[in-house]
Amino acid sequence: MLKQPKESSKHNPALPPCPPVRWSWGIWKEALQPNHEDDHAHAAVPIGPGAPKYATPFGAEEPTERPERLFLKPQNLFHSFSNSPAPGIRRRAAFMKSHAYCPHPDHRQTRVVLSPQDPEARKAAKKSTQAPAFVDFECPDCGIPVYCSEKHWMDDYEAHAEICDTLRQANEDDHDLHSGRYFHEFRYPGPQIEEILVNMTNWDTFLYTREFNAINEDRSMRQATRMLTYPMTIASIIHELSPYNIRAGGRLTVEGLKSLSALRYTLHPERSGGGPGVKGLRLRAPPARIFILGARAESSIPRDIWIQLEYLFHRAFIHLIFIGPESMTNRDAEFPLPERTPANPFGGIVEDRLSHNTKITTFVEYYHTMHKANYFQPFDPYFDCFVLFHPGLGHPASVHEWEETLPQLLETKVPIISTGYTEWDMQRDKQWVEEKMAGEVDILMEPGENKFRSLRWDLNDMDPTDLSCGNWGVWAFRGKRYETTMKD
């Protein structure tokens, strides 16, 4: 039986547990490049006779023949991490063996137990005596370094068997990214005529009615949904054809219907009769602002993926605003941070030429700092909403980061959409919000499984037994609104 995914944490007995490890687009971007062991950062140019066949502009010689690009066939995707033909995966194996601890219950605990599904709970129950040890032995069935020795792997095989098949699937999916094949599933459709309605019941109906290229393999489906889960999680809630409703089992509350109806009024405006030329000019509503707080991986995925939002809201302007201290991690070469000036006090990076109706702005700053400066005020429930991807609101290691921000978010009275890795993760966040702001919170959507979650399982390199699906669950809340009452 497969264990439900749980949040990740750093294994250090001297420190409190860290927030869940977040997936990074950098892994995928590296995977989709040719896998050369010694790639040069500059191009080679041919020179005169008697000289090497290739030389760099700086005079450094290159081999006469370039190494061939790695290519793995679908039947040859399983390799142990340490013996992988992909250098990036071999580096991950070395990282695991120097950071991840053996989960065998004979070892002492290395961190605080975070949930009932946490393997560390077994160590606490057994009162283990052996010192913690890093993983070193790779399971021959899944190829992942999971135990410190073959003896502990054999002794604990019954527990490992629960996730072994899923670990092997994650292994093959990682090698698929490094396989060198053509990823047809990463080709996205362009605009679609408004009269063709999309069906958001699930991934299959959406991809079909949105006219994506046919995805006939489960692995390709997992790779495609891993990135599309970010825009589609948002769209599935704020779109007028949302699969969530106020009927029994629909998870939407009456207050949620009120808030989302206001937002949908802006995102789905009536036809105005506008058209090309001066005579077709019409007034248009300001852009709908979607604030993505604590942004990490989601701020760096290809923009073609985020533009899919625009194609679902044909006549609306959308302004995506990524905010967080890690929103530009490992992207300095792509977008050097601008200087902070009176005109741009928080050093925002603006991408306003992506398309006609989409604009993206990124701030490397904490939201509560910008809120105090009244940088985004005023807020309007017809135009604004917040999105928190795996925020860890109630996580022991990240709760302090939200202590100041949460009251500010509730003060705006606009919808706040939050995702989680597991049901436990979301319920813990919800409990913390309700305890922290008792009586000042309206639940807009009950926690539950996200219909547009990632179908791919991801490994946590700090704990290889920790498997998670991106945006597995979703819920929403808002600052409590009080209705005016009249008295005689």
Side-chain angles (χ1 to χ4, degrees), residues 179-192:
S179 65
R181 71 175 176 89
Y182 175 71
F183 291 86
H184 64 89
E185 61 267 35
F186 293 153
R187 295 196 63 175
Y188 306 108
Q192 184 169 286

Side-chain angles (χ1 to χ4, degrees), residues 95-143:
F95 180 88
M96 291 179 184
K97 292 182 178 182
S98 60
H99 291 80
Y101 287 97
C102 177
H104 195 280
D106 282 349
H107 294 290
R108 291 195 296 271
Q109 276 186 277
T110 56
R111 55 180 170 81
V112 177
V113 176
L114 299 174
S115 71
Q117 296 84 22
D118 195 335
E120 289 293 300
R122 298 190 304 154
K123 299 179 180 179
K126 194 173 179 180
K127 297 182 179 179
S128 311
T129 57
Q130 291 187 21
F134 292 120
V135 297
D136 186 63
F137 178 77
E138 292 179 329
C139 170
D141 298 323
C142 64

